[in-house]
Amino acid sequence: VVSLEPTSAITVSAWIKRGMTLGTIQVIAAKGRFASASNAQYMIHFNASNFIEFSLGDGVNPSSKVTSTSTLTSTSQWYFIV
């Protein structure tokens, strides 16, 4: 059974390809309300500055966020992220 509510440490990885619009928030995967990273339970997305972010929260308040160290701006290349 696959669960999107892990009770211990997990690793998230994905093959991703950018949409045609750079400089906008593009959600890759999320659980909970994801109108913004601050109210999702977890979310991996491109932020408006073209960095990958992984955010954790309780659905109301953010608890932590990790941001990539480089931007991903090619709209024709596939990337593997972990």
Side-chain angles (χ1 to χ4, degrees), residues 16-37:
I16 58 171
K17 185 178 177 198
R18 291 298 309 256
M20 295 303 292
T21 307
L22 300 178
T24 62
I25 294 175
Q26 296 176 355
V27 176
I28 298 163
K31 180 174 188 305
R33 294 175 41 222
F34 55 87
S36 71

Side-chain angles (χ1 to χ4, degrees), residues 26-80:
Q26 296 176 355
V27 176
I28 298 163
K31 180 174 188 305
R33 294 175 41 222
F34 55 87
S36 71
S38 64
N39 60 11
Q41 290 173 335
Y42 55 83
M43 179 168 68
I44 186 166
H45 67 282
F46 286 99
N47 67 18
S49 298
N50 301 310
F51 289 91
I52 294 283
E53 287 186 344
F54 183 76
S55 305
L56 292 172
D58 61 8
V60 178
N61 300 301
S63 60
S64 61
K65 176 173 64 172
V66 177
T67 304
S68 64
T69 57
S70 60
T71 60
L72 303 177
T73 56
S74 172
T75 58
S76 62
Q77 179 177 341
W78 283 89
Y79 298 98
F80 183 71

